[in-house]
Amino acid sequence: MQQRVSICRALIHDPPLLLMDEPFGALDAMTREELGMELLQLWSERRKTVVFVTHSIRRRSCWQTGSS
């Protein structure tokens, strides 16, 4: 829930650039997948530039291609 609130707080000001440093690092796999899908949906609707820092090779490749 705290991660969702943080993302909402970042989006409420409608920034042109969204910086995300390991936003899903502390989450369990199911919640991480759910939030990832929600963030992809928001990105596809709003077309914001997202700088996404992650150490997960799987997560990086998903974001590069825009798929999950």
Side-chain angles (χ1 to χ4, degrees), residues 11-46:
L11 290 171
I12 200 157
H13 298 288
D14 197 30
L17 175 66
L18 188 60
L19 301 173
M20 303 189 80
D21 185 7
E22 292 284 348
F24 308 139
L27 302 174
D28 62 89
M30 198 161 109
T31 306
R32 183 174 28 249
E33 187 66 28
E34 183 181 326
L35 275 179
M37 296 301 292
E38 287 182 27
L39 192 57
L40 276 173
Q41 181 179 352
L42 279 170
W43 175 79
S44 68
E45 290 171 1
R46 297 178 183 224

